[in-house]
Every structure is written in structure tokens, then in C-alpha cells.
Amino acid sequence: MTSSTVTSSQSPRPPRPNLAFRRLRGQRSPAEFAAMVRRAAQEIGERVSCDARYIGRVEAGEIRCPNYAYERVFLHMFPGRTLTDLGFAPRSAVRGRAARRTPCETREADRPYQFHDSQDHPQDPYHPHEDDEESDVLRRAFMTRGGATVAAASLGPLGLAFDASAADRPARRAGASDAGAVEEAVRRIRLLDDRHGADGLYRRAAAPLRAAYTLLDAGTTRQVTADRLYSGAGELAISVGWLAHDSGRFDDARSHYAEALATARMTGDPALEAHAFCNTAFLARDAGRPREAVRAAQAAQRVGRGLGSARLMSLLALREAGGWAGLADRTGCEQALTRAQALYERGPSDADPEWMSFYGAAELEGLKAQCWSALGDWPRAARHARRAAQLQDPHFTRNIALYTAELADDLARGGYPDEAAAAGMRVLDLLGQVQSSRVQTMLAGTARVLSPHRRASGVSAFLERHASSPRTA
């Protein structure tokens, strides 16, 4: 990667914080509030890629007026209020600055998203027409279009936005719009994985990653753009690594996580480094290297202490607990679990990384279940897995399938074949929406454990349906 030539640039005018919107968030973290927005969008059939960063930008006043999709969602969430009640500027007040839009801009979604040179497009890609609203063009470029299946259709825009030929294009300076496109790719991958699992995403997601590192090699003209690109490329490497991890491609995942770690250390980015070590610890546990899992989790905690996020430290303690459980060290595991619970109870904060939007009470319970399962305490594992499935936000379809599969396996190994079969049936119902080798592998193990219990209520029906279910290639 080449170093960047940096020139200073000054914003024409600072944004005014949106205090009204901040008050509406109340005591919730930005990630928790973003999850509420996504749920509200689902209620009215809208699709928005809302995350903690978007909420932060609204509260900072960077988005003076939301696009129409977000407007519909916000007005649904807060009935009887107007955009101005929510702290936004009237659309009429900001539309006048968008006069330089071309008449055919509304058809931009019909074309692949292109990387633009910063000299031609100096504005932030999230509000490219000065500060009027989040870019409809960029958002639509990553939205789902029609197709044979939901997952396949949702993946199409990723291939269009960062097609494989990007790596073959001549090197040139990257701009703010490129950094924004990389960040949007990360969000879209995470959202699609939450709903559909990793198996159908992994091969498509490698193309944006190659394009992101090509942009880094080309260099930038502004340090702020370089920082965004490095951080975005590192997070993209972790996201692609997770897709490889969850679909059973452990060697590929290890390579992607190492790439993210190298990027973090080269740029002195402790948040990215903690994230890379966190995922490395999780992978090591799943790959049967529990001592490495402990070491990686401890390294993540050393890096993460200065970031100010108790929830991050809680998750990292759980990663360490998983390693101790794999080593059959019950004392080490219990100590790490106790730390994880205490840190979690400190509550969310604005310092929580946006990638941690998945980490709530359900994930805490689910990871505890995995620890107790590894230690062979099936009743305790089943209790935590049941809580995890009950607590999970419906948006995270893949996690509901995962926790329910964990429950089925714990019940089967704990001597409750009928309950295990019922839970297994619920997982099979979800596999029409989720493609995850991890879930399928767990369910196959449950089926093997239940095989001698065919005469128990519901077990035969589960085994027959499982045997006839298609497997992900």
C-alpha cells in the first residue's frame, strides 16, 4: 500500500447538532436506537441500512433532512410529529441547494455505482449535495432488486457496486465517495448476514474487499479520506472474514482477519485492532485452538481498554471464556463469564463500536450457552440458549436459528429428545431464510444424537425432515 499525499481542507460551515433527535433516543445507545429504526422500517415494508454511525450523523446535524425512506420510518415511529419536530430542516429549505442534480439522477440506481475522483466530487458521499440529505443514489445502489431468492437478489448490488474488474482499473487517487462506498458495503454485508447467513454471501463479498485495497494502493489527497479508507477496508476484511468463518472456510477467515489486524497496526487504529483480535479469538475457538482463543481475547482486551466501551470489554471477556471452556478450565471460564456479565450491566454508551449492534442480552445468553455446552453442563447450557432465542430481535434471523440450534443440541445431549426435536423443527423452518454452515453443522450433530431415540415423540418426524432438507454447498 502506498502512502497518501495529504492536503488540508476546511468545511464551509459546521453542522448544528440535532438536539431534538438526541432527546428522542433517550437512554438507548446509538446501536440500540438504530435497531429500533430497522424494526420500524420492517413494520411498514421499508428498507433502510440504519446503524449507529447514521444515528450519530443525524444527531451531529450532518444530515439536515433525511431521505424519503428514512422520513417515512421516522414519522411512523413518532406519529403526529413532523420532520421539524424531530429536529430536521424542512425539505423545502434544503432542496434548493440540490439544483445541480441532473434530470436523470433518479435513474442512477439502474447503473453500477462508480468510484469518483475526489476532485470531481469533494463532498461527503452521505450528503453529496452539500448537507441536504443522505445520498439516495448510494443507498439505492446497494438495495435489493428482484431475483430468484431474497439472498441472491440482495447480493446483486454488491457485485455491481464493486465488480471484480475494479482491481484491474488504473490506479488513481481515491476520494471521499470511495470511502463512503466501502463503508456502505460493510453495512450491507452485515445486514444481509443478519437476515440470511453467510453461505450465499461469501464469494460475492470478496470483490468489494479487493476493490477497497486497490483504492488504498492508489492513495488519497486528504488524510481524513485515507483514515476512512483504511478503517473501512479493515472492517470490510473482518466482515468478509466472518462470512468465511460462518460458512466453514476457516483458512480463508484466518487470512482475512490477519489482513485486518495488519491494517490496524499499520495505521495505529486500536478499535480496528480490538475487533480483529475479537474475531480471531472466536475463530480459534471454533477451529479447535482454544489456547490461541484465550491469547487473542486477552490481546483484544489489552487494546480495547482505552476505547471506553464496557460492552466491548464484555464481549471480549466472553471470547476469553469460550477459550477457557475449550480447554475444560471451568474456573477460568466462570471468572471470565462473571467479568462479562458485570461489564455488560454497566450499560451501553456512545463509545460502543457500531459493529457491535448484534451484541445485546440475547447474544450474551447465547455465548454463555456455548461455554456451558463446551464444559458439558447441558441443563445450564439449554437454559441460556432458550433465553437467547426468546430475547433475540426478530431482525437477526440467523442468530435466532443459531440459538435455537444450540438449544436443540443441548436438549438432545441432556436427555430430552422430544423437546430437542421440537426445537430442531423450528430451526428447519428458519433454514428457508438462513444459509449458515454453522447452523447446519450443529443441526446435523443434533440429528446424530437423536438417531437412537426415534421412538420418542416428534423425533422420527424431525429426523426425516432433516434428512430430506437441502444442504448448502
Side-chain angles (χ1 to χ4, degrees):
M1 301 175 194
T2 60
S3 60
S4 303
T5 302
V6 180
T7 59
S8 63
S9 178
Q10 191 173 20
S11 176
R13 58 186 171 122
R16 180 178 299 173
N18 186 336
L19 300 180
F21 198 87
R22 175 62 187 89
R23 285 192 293 270
L24 291 172
R25 175 160 66 86
Q27 298 301 311
R28 305 177 189 88
S29 72
E32 290 172 331
F33 193 71
M36 287 181 57
V37 174
R38 295 195 301 269
R39 285 196 298 272
Q42 288 180 328
E43 290 171 2
I44 61 173
E46 192 57 77
R47 292 177 66 92
V48 295
S49 302
C50 189
D51 58 16
R53 184 175 184 272
Y54 179 85
I55 298 300
R57 291 181 60 250
V58 171
E59 293 178 0
E62 295 177 21
I63 299 175
R64 293 189 61 215
C65 186
N67 65 33
Y68 289 109
Y70 276 104
E71 177 182 357
R72 287 188 288 271
V73 175
F74 292 151
L75 296 183
H76 170 68
M77 292 176 68
F78 305 105
R81 304 196 190 195
T82 65
L83 283 180
T84 53
D85 293 333
L86 303 181
F88 294 108
R91 194 171 299 280
S92 58
V94 297
R95 275 300 186 190
R97 298 189 179 91
R100 62 180 175 275
R101 295 182 182 182
T102 61
C104 60
E105 184 190 89
T106 56
R107 295 188 57 80
E108 187 72 25
D110 297 332
R111 299 193 294 274
Y113 182 78
Q114 300 294 324
F115 294 113
H116 298 295
D117 187 90
S118 58
Q119 294 177 351
D120 295 330
H121 295 265
Q123 297 89 0
D124 186 318
Y126 293 99
H127 43 104
H129 308 289
E130 295 194 22
D131 57 359
D132 63 335
E133 65 177 87
E134 182 190 28
S135 169
D136 282 322
V137 175
L138 181 60
R139 183 182 69 86
R140 288 198 305 270
F142 288 90
M143 292 301 284
T144 300
R145 301 177 197 178
T149 66
V150 172
S154 298
L155 286 170
L158 290 175
L160 289 171
F162 295 89
D163 59 49
S165 65
D168 300 326
R169 294 171 187 160
R172 52 119 185 108
R173 298 275 183 208
S177 59
D178 301 320
V182 172
E183 292 162 351
E184 182 69 5
V186 173
R187 293 188 184 92
R188 292 301 299 157
I189 287 172
R190 288 173 182 163
L191 288 171
L192 292 170
D193 176 51
D194 291 341
R195 295 189 181 104
H196 307 298
D199 287 6
L201 284 163
Y202 175 60
R203 297 190 193 283
R204 294 280 190 93
L209 181 59
R210 289 194 300 271
Y213 277 98
T214 297
L215 288 168
L216 282 175
D217 286 338
T220 65
T221 57
R222 300 176 63 206
Q223 186 62 50
V224 66
T225 303
D227 291 344
R228 285 179 61 192
L229 266 178
Y230 273 105
S231 178
E235 290 293 342
L236 190 53
I238 292 174
S239 292
V240 176
W242 165 249
L243 297 179
H245 180 173
D246 194 45
S247 55
R249 300 172 174 90
F250 288 176
D251 289 342
D252 289 353
R254 190 179 179 88
S255 175
H256 289 306
Y257 293 160
E259 189 171 35
L261 185 59
T263 300
R265 287 182 162 174
M266 182 166 45
T267 57
D269 187 338
L272 179 60
E273 185 174 354
H275 191 184
F277 269 131
C278 176
N279 279 45
T280 298
F282 198 13
L283 174 66
R285 188 208 71 169
D286 286 354
R289 300 189 298 270
R291 197 167 299 281
E292 179 185 330
V294 171
R295 290 198 301 268
Q298 290 173 340
Q301 290 170 79
R302 286 194 296 272
V303 176
R305 284 192 188 103
L307 298 176
S309 171
R311 286 286 168 91
L312 172 62
M313 296 303 292
S314 173
L315 177 61
L316 298 178
L318 285 168
R319 295 289 186 245
E320 182 183 341
W324 290 124
L327 289 168
D329 187 332
R330 189 183 184 99
T331 300
C333 180
E334 288 183 328
Q335 289 175 347
L337 288 176
T338 299
R339 285 203 318 277
Q341 182 67 45
L343 287 161
Y344 183 86
E345 288 174 356
R346 293 185 187 178
S349 75
D350 291 345
D352 297 340
E354 70 173 74
W355 60 264
M356 286 188 61
S357 59
F358 73 93
Y359 184 55
E363 182 72 4
L364 176 68
E365 294 293 330
L367 292 175
K368 285 181 179 179
Q370 292 174 15
C371 287
W372 292 116
S373 180
L375 290 169
D377 191 334
W378 313 119
R380 186 175 294 191
R383 286 198 299 274
H384 287 292
R386 193 186 304 277
R387 283 187 212 140
Q390 292 170 344
L391 291 169
Q392 184 57 69
D393 183 331
H395 165 78
F396 294 94
T397 310
R398 175 215 170 260
N399 279 2
I400 294 174
L402 177 67
Y403 302 147
T404 309
E406 174 72 38
L407 173 62
D409 198 60
D410 294 334
L411 290 169
R413 296 176 191 277
Y416 297 92
D418 50 345
E419 293 183 46
M425 282 292 202
R426 293 197 294 274
V427 178
L428 289 172
D429 290 339
L430 291 170
L431 287 182
Q433 307 170 50
V434 174
Q435 296 180 6
S436 170
S437 292
R438 174 190 299 272
V439 173
Q440 291 187 344
T441 298
M442 291 175 65
L443 207 58
T446 302
R448 287 192 294 272
V449 173
L450 289 179
S451 186
H453 304 279
R454 288 181 176 273
R455 294 185 179 180
S457 175
V459 172
S460 179
F462 164 72
L463 292 175
E464 290 174 6
R465 184 177 170 191
H466 177 263
S468 63
S469 297
R471 301 291 185 268
T472 303

